[in-house]
Amino acid sequence: MGIASKHLEIEAALRESEQRLRWLASIVESSDDAIVSKNLDGIITSWNRGAERIFGYSASDAIGQPITLVIPQDRQSEEREILTRVRRGERIDHFETVRQHKQGNLIVVSLTVSPVKDANDNIVGASKIARDITEQKRSQELIVTLAREAEHRSKNLLANALATVNLSQSSSPEGLKQVIAGRIQALSNVCSLFAATRWIGAELSAIATQELAPYSEKNGGRTFIDGPQTILEPDAAQAIAITLHELATNAAKYGALSTPNGQIRLEWSQEADGRLRLRWIETGGPVAHKPKRQGLGSRIIEQMIVQQKGTVRFDWRTDGLVCEITLPV
């Protein structure tokens, strides 16, 4: 092979090598991840656009500075440990830690650190790839929180359902089935309201409207609801839903809704001490006689409200039952 041919071959190899280097440099520069190199003293020697975006420092700001520029004060020891491992030739894969943006906010990152060697196979520095996983970690934490909340709510819901079943009585199996089904349906109704607020709670007027809807449709103009917008936490909302179900069922069987002209008014207000005061008022129905022994419905109401650290008072009047409830909200 002639000298000229050899020279052309070397030039072609150099051009190919340069092209590969430009291609690799382009990949590094356009990466969304931070790709940084540093020497064995921890001084930054290269800084791509991904690093600028994630950490807020420009390449001119960062190059020549110690990598501790982006490490929070309480994690400075991590860099010493990383450099020690790099000097031993170790590679560090997917190390999750926290770094700091130029503006001071903390960033959760996944780090991969590899030793960089020279032509003589000596370790002269390290390359570091940092992926911002802040949003991913937040999502994971949110999922865990929601799972715990769902577990708590489901246990509470099942406890209420179990208490409802245990307290339910009837003179016939079919009657018992209907009683239990009605109370479980009340819990189901309020749970459908939680979905709209992602289990933050339920608005009191929505709970009342749901529970009185069957009677409002059958007896138009005989049920009235009045009170300010009030969001109840799920536990309290379930207790109120069961309470209103019991009061409405009792009114339909024995109270104001059992006669043609009876009416029900449900009203509530926020007291100065932060407690909710709710009043169920029946008028135009049969005379309300105080029972000789506590009925099952009133026992369920008291159990539900007392569990929420509230109080219940029944007043049997000549024109109908009045039930007053106070709850901390």
Side-chain angles (χ1 to χ4, degrees), residues 48-74:
N48 74 336
R49 289 180 185 173
E52 291 183 348
R53 181 182 61 81
I54 291 173
F55 298 115
Y57 294 95
S58 66
S60 59
D61 289 336
I63 293 174
Q65 298 296 318
I67 194 66
T68 51
L69 182 73
V70 296
I71 301 179
Q73 193 62 39
D74 61 346

Side-chain angles (χ1 to χ4, degrees), residues 159-160 162-164 167 239 294 297-309 312:
N160 284 338
L162 182 61
T164 295
L167 287 169
Q294 189 180 35
S298 60
R299 288 209 306 274
I300 289 177
I301 291 171
E302 285 191 352
Q303 177 171 315
M304 290 292 178
I305 299 303
V306 169
Q307 281 180 351
Q308 301 305 313
K309 297 181 172 56
V312 181

Side-chain angles (χ1 to χ4, degrees), residues 101-328:
H101 189 274
K102 183 179 181 180
Q103 300 300 325
N105 52 298
L106 298 179
I107 309 159
V108 184
V109 296
S110 175
L111 296 180
T112 296
V113 186
S114 303
V116 173
K117 298 180 180 180
D118 63 12
N120 298 316
D121 209 32
N122 296 315
I123 297 171
V124 294
S127 66
K128 178 181 292 187
I129 300 174
R131 173 164 294 178
D132 184 353
I133 59 171
T134 305
E135 290 305 317
Q136 178 184 330
K137 295 299 287 185
R138 285 175 182 165
S139 297
Q140 290 174 350
E141 289 169 2
L142 178 59
I143 289 170
V144 170
T145 300
L146 290 176
R148 288 173 180 165
E149 184 69 11
E151 179 185 20
H152 168 73
R153 297 304 177 194
S154 61
K155 285 182 177 178
N156 183 68
L157 180 60
L158 289 172
N160 284 338
L162 182 61
T164 295
V165 171
N166 289 337
L167 287 169
S168 297
Q169 295 177 4
S170 180
S171 58
S172 69
E174 186 60 31
L176 179 61
K177 179 181 176 181
Q178 292 179 358
V179 168
I180 293 174
R183 289 165 181 164
I184 298 298
Q185 186 61 51
L187 290 173
S188 175
N189 289 343
V190 76
C191 283
S192 68
L193 297 177
F194 297 155
T197 64
R198 297 187 179 183
W199 282 81
I200 292 173
E203 211 278 315
L204 180 50
S205 63
I207 301 172
T209 299
Q210 275 191 342
E211 291 307 317
L212 293 179
Y215 309 100
S216 301
E217 293 167 2
K218 294 177 183 177
N219 307 285
R222 295 176 58 188
T223 59
F224 304 91
I225 298 172
D226 182 38
Q229 185 176 28
T230 304
I231 299 291
L232 297 179
E233 293 183 351
D235 292 352
Q238 290 176 35
I240 290 297
I242 289 291
T243 295
L244 295 182
H245 171 77
E246 293 300 320
L247 290 170
T249 300
N250 183 75
K253 289 182 178 179
Y254 315 110
L257 296 181
S258 68
T259 60
N261 300 317
Q263 294 183 339
I264 291 174
R265 183 175 183 84
L266 177 65
E267 58 186 28
W268 62 89
S269 60
Q270 295 276 356
E271 301 297 296
D273 61 0
R275 296 173 72 83
L276 174 71
R277 181 170 179 262
L278 186 146
R279 300 184 77 222
W280 171 278
I281 305 166
E282 297 184 27
T283 56
V287 175
H289 296 288
K290 183 176 181 179
K292 294 180 180 178
R293 59 187 180 87
Q294 189 180 35
L296 183 60
S298 60
R299 288 209 306 274
I300 289 177
I301 291 171
E302 285 191 352
Q303 177 171 315
M304 290 292 178
I305 299 303
V306 169
Q307 281 180 351
Q308 301 305 313
K309 297 181 172 56
T311 60
V312 181
R313 186 175 68 86
F314 295 99
D315 187 3
W316 289 267
R317 300 180 179 179
T318 56
D319 56 348
L321 172 67
V322 173
C323 176
E324 186 172 301
I325 295 168
T326 58
L327 275 179

